[in-house]
Amino acid sequence: MVTRPTAKKVKSLDELLQAAEPASMPSKSGDNGILMIPFNKIRPYQNHPFRLYSDERLDDLVESIKSNGILMPMIVRRIESDENGYEYEMLAGHNRMNGAKLAGLTEGPCIVKDSLSDEEALMYVVETNVIQRSFSDMLPSEKAAVLALRHSKMFSQGKRNDIINELKRLENPEYKGIDETSAPVGQKLTSREKIANEYGLSKNTVARLLRVDKLIVGLKSRVDCDEISLRCAVDLSYLADSEQEEVERVLSENEFKVDMKKTEMLRSYSANSKLNEKTTYQILSGQINRKPKSSSAPSIKIKHKVYSKFFSPDTKVSEIEKVVEEALELYFQTHPDRKEANTA
């Protein structure tokens, strides 16, 4: 008879934090203790956007665990048991679990979160890595993941502060906590401006990194390796995922260089519905070096000072076209006489 590994309770979280937990700290069912959980019951966070420790940093972590064990509990959330037998998902502690496995351990201390939303789970993953690593030392794709969360519509500053306080108190029970940062009196900042100020970036850099987060994994890796510049990455981010996959396939099979002229053409061909397997190869190989010709229909250009009043710089061309089309439909619905005159 096979004995199934089970989680065993070791000590209360209150004992660990020594009454340091504030009223604002997230309190979900299952948060009242630390469990020793077998690693074969914990899966990594799906689509984990951060690289794990390697080389000397990983070696130091393994030696520390061998000598002292896992000093700070990991944070996991309970999931429905899947076909691989996983019952928990790692949120904070990917490196500790990896180092512990290399040190020969088969289980580790975990704080279990039972009722986290996907937003809260992602916040644990992101904020743990921001605390452990300097933002400036992160790869472009990692910075993009951090900024994308901060810029998302589901982002909650209050929840973020609670999570940061909890994570920092696990490291230091005497940590006093943070308050929500606010703009100077009389100054109302946009979401992007607040993010730029917090991480010491320009608004343009924030905009470019937000576009990087829309790339497929393969192209993100090329940005991280400096094979693709941030400006080129912005152009590629406007391609459909299937088009990005084709770009990645062509680059993987050839030694083509990527530059601004090529990515601008890829974006232009995509906007004109002319980007396919053949044209993607021809553009990246340099066989095509001109943007596609427009259709025979009259070309109408809207001046930048006109559309910039209504659209942000990173708005997709397709989104602008859709809004313009809807606006024209509404206009001619209220002015049917003008539509007849123009179609006569």
Side-chain angles (χ1 to χ4, degrees):
M1 179 176 179
V2 178
T3 301
R4 184 182 180 187
T6 57
K8 54 187 179 182
K9 192 168 183 178
V10 290
K11 61 180 179 178
S12 70
L13 180 57
D14 290 338
E15 290 174 351
L16 177 76
L17 299 183
Q18 297 179 334
E21 178 175 328
S24 62
M25 183 180 291
S27 179
K28 307 287 185 182
S29 61
D31 289 1
N32 60 348
I34 297 175
L35 302 181
M36 291 297 292
I37 299 179
F39 294 140
N40 63 2
K41 294 298 175 185
I42 307 174
R43 76 180 185 196
Y45 183 78
Q46 291 185 321
N47 301 317
H48 189 250
F50 301 96
R51 67 195 188 281
L52 295 179
Y53 293 166
S54 60
D55 303 326
E56 184 177 353
R57 191 167 190 179
L58 176 59
D59 293 338
D60 290 344
L61 177 61
V62 172
E63 289 305 314
S64 174
I65 292 175
K66 284 181 178 179
S67 300
N68 308 300
I70 300 176
L71 298 178
M72 189 169 69
M74 298 165 285
I75 298 177
V76 301
R77 71 167 170 174
R78 201 183 307 274
I79 59 174
E80 292 185 7
S81 182
D82 61 19
E83 58 185 10
N84 295 315
Y86 293 126
E87 297 177 4
Y88 303 90
E89 182 176 48
M90 180 64 73
L91 301 181
H94 288 80
N95 287 299
R96 276 165 279 169
M97 184 169 71
N98 187 36
K101 287 180 178 179
L102 294 174
L105 303 184
T106 58
E107 63 180 10
C110 298
I111 298 170
V112 179
K113 301 290 183 179
D114 280 331
S115 306
L116 291 183
S117 66
D118 288 341
E119 173 203 7
E120 292 168 320
L122 180 56
M123 282 188 178
Y124 273 103
V125 174
V126 169
E127 297 304 339
T128 298
N129 281 273
V130 173
I131 290 172
Q132 291 177 346
R133 318 172 192 217
S134 168
F135 180 82
S136 61
D137 291 337
M138 289 184 174
L139 296 172
S141 67
E142 294 173 332
K143 293 179 180 178
V146 173
L147 300 184
L149 172 65
R150 293 294 317 281
H151 196 259
S152 69
K153 292 181 179 179
M154 69 177 184
F155 178 80
S156 165
Q157 182 66 46
K159 289 180 181 177
R160 181 198 182 212
N161 287 345
D162 289 343
I163 289 171
I164 291 176
N165 286 336
E166 178 184 5
L167 293 172
K168 290 198 172 183
R169 280 191 175 88
L170 284 176
E171 290 186 340
N172 176 17
E174 297 182 359
Y175 176 72
K176 299 301 182 182
I178 59 173
D179 296 319
E180 182 175 352
T181 56
S182 57
V185 176
Q187 181 181 1
K188 186 176 181 179
L189 300 179
T190 65
S191 174
R192 190 167 296 179
E193 287 173 331
K194 289 179 181 178
I195 296 172
N197 289 344
E198 178 174 351
Y199 294 104
L201 304 171
S202 69
K203 289 187 292 184
N204 286 339
T205 299
V206 170
R208 289 174 187 141
L209 286 170
L210 288 174
R211 294 306 312 180
V212 168
D213 194 62
K214 299 182 182 297
L215 294 175
I216 62 171
V217 174
L219 295 180
K220 283 180 181 177
S221 296
R222 294 184 185 277
V223 175
D224 289 339
C225 295
D226 292 327
E227 292 180 24
I228 296 177
S229 70
L230 280 183
R231 289 179 179 272
C232 289
V234 170
D235 282 328
L236 294 175
S237 73
Y238 286 100
L239 306 185
D241 284 357
S242 59
E243 294 171 332
Q244 292 186 36
E245 295 284 359
E246 183 60 27
V247 170
E248 172 61 21
R249 186 189 68 79
V250 172
L251 293 177
S252 297
E253 296 176 355
N254 302 276
E255 296 183 358
F256 299 148
K257 300 294 184 181
V258 179
D259 56 35
M260 281 292 295
K261 186 174 182 179
K262 291 180 179 179
T263 57
E264 287 175 356
M265 282 192 292
L266 287 167
R267 181 176 175 181
S268 182
Y269 268 75
S270 175
N272 285 274
S273 302
K274 295 183 178 180
L275 190 62
N276 51 44
E277 183 177 337
K278 180 179 179 181
T279 54
T280 298
Y281 179 89
Q282 290 176 325
I283 291 171
L284 290 172
S285 66
Q287 295 175 29
I288 294 180
N289 53 22
R290 293 184 181 180
K291 294 182 179 180
K293 294 182 180 179
S294 58
S295 62
S296 57
S299 176
I300 300 175
K301 294 183 178 180
I302 302 176
K303 292 183 179 180
H304 179 267
K305 66 179 182 180
V306 175
Y307 66 76
S308 63
K309 297 177 184 177
F310 309 99
F311 301 99
S312 61
D314 60 345
T315 304
K316 292 183 179 180
V317 174
S318 59
E319 293 176 359
I320 295 177
E321 290 175 344
K322 182 179 180 181
V323 173
V324 170
E325 181 180 356
E326 292 174 351
L328 288 173
E329 288 178 354
L330 179 61
Y331 175 82
F332 284 114
Q333 284 174 7
T334 56
H335 300 80
D337 55 324
R338 298 195 177 189
K339 184 174 182 180
E340 292 175 0
N342 283 282
T343 57

